[in-house]
Amino acid sequence: MPADQLSSVFGALADPTRRAILAQLTDGDRSVAELSAPFPVSQPAISRHLKVLEGAGLISRSRRATARLSHLEAEPLREATAWLARYQAYWDESYDRLDALLAALKRTQADEQSPIE
Amino acid sequence: MPADQLSSVFGALADPTRRAILAQLTDGDRSVAELSAPFPVSQPAISRHLKVLEGAGLISRSRRATARLSHLEAEPLREATAWLARYQAYWDESYDRLDALLAALKRTQADEQSPIE
């Protein structure tokens, strides 16, 4: 995946309506009318979101009679996940720091509760 | 993490310079001057990128003498990864379809190569 497609994928995911559309498509292909139903936005607004998702390679579109169906293309999400996975060591580190902080707090509390000799 | 922070995180990642800045910060905290060095862009442009990253919670900033240092905060990337992980079944499915296609191709080739009886 070229670097720019990765930017397009992250850009496409940077919107709650577009993320919700992808979630809907996990249940199967959907028309614009079906995808618009749960949202308080117009079908043209949903169509614009679909264009962004299609541009990022996250959906493909086909025709069924007069309806255009959107189909989830999850492969680019694998690449996005692979990019993020490189940072796992660093978020684990922040957990380690939190663990150390909690352990230090516990020691302090234990010290405070121990009787003065 | 509220839904809007997830949008901010994905939005912050939707730029190759910002992703490269995060990569630089895995080696330790950096000043704006240090972060600007590898890029053909001005320090003010890098500062704007840092503001976007800070707004998404992906970096924090502190002072060392006269320099402002940026520090990687990887925790929001964990949340972004958790969101993406829900789609793993769907990208695996596209691999399964590819496997099925390759198997079908192999069978076709085997049929073509078998002698006519």
Side-chain angles (χ1 to χ4, degrees), chain B residues 41-106:
Chain B
V41 290
S42 64
Q43 285 195 24
I46 295 293
S47 288
R48 280 193 295 275
H49 282 309
L50 293 176
K51 223 166 247 178
V52 175
L53 291 168
E54 193 177 20
L58 289 168
I59 65 166
S60 58
R61 308 184 78 180
S62 60
R63 290 211 160 272
R64 179 185 60 191
T66 57
R68 282 188 85 187
L69 294 185
S70 293
H71 175 79
L72 176 66
E73 299 289 348
E75 191 56 28
L77 298 176
R78 174 210 293 270
E79 307 289 331
T81 306
W83 186 87
L84 286 161
R86 300 186 219 162
Y87 291 85
Q88 186 154 8
Y90 301 93
W91 72 62
D92 284 345
E93 179 191 279
S94 65
Y95 259 75
D96 289 347
R97 277 188 292 163
L98 188 66
D99 278 348
L101 184 68
L102 289 172
L105 270 172
K106 266 189 193 165

Side-chain angles (χ1 to χ4, degrees), chain A residues 29-41:
Chain A
D29 298 357
R30 293 282 184 275
S31 68
V32 180
E34 288 165 336
L35 288 171
S36 304
F39 301 109
V41 292

Side-chain angles (χ1 to χ4, degrees), chain A residues 3-4 6-7 10-11 13-16 19 22-23 26 71-75 77-78 80-81 83-84 87 90-92 94-95 97, chain B residues 3-4 6-7 10-11 13-16 19 22-23 26 71-75 77-78 80-81 83-84 87 90-92 94-95 97:
Chain A
D4 283 337
L6 192 52
S7 294
F10 283 131
L13 298 180
D15 181 278
R19 292 198 303 276
L22 293 180
T26 60
H71 175 80
L72 176 67
E73 297 289 347
E75 191 56 30
L77 298 176
R78 176 209 293 271
T81 306
W83 186 88
L84 286 162
Y87 291 85
Y90 301 93
W91 72 63
D92 284 344
S94 65
Y95 259 73
R97 279 188 291 162
Chain B
D4 283 337
L6 192 53
S7 294
F10 283 131
L13 298 179
D15 182 279
R19 292 198 303 275
L22 293 180
T26 61
H71 175 79
L72 176 66
E73 299 289 348
E75 191 56 28
L77 298 176
R78 174 210 293 270
T81 306
W83 186 87
L84 286 161
Y87 291 85
Y90 301 93
W91 72 62
D92 284 345
S94 65
Y95 259 75
R97 277 188 292 163

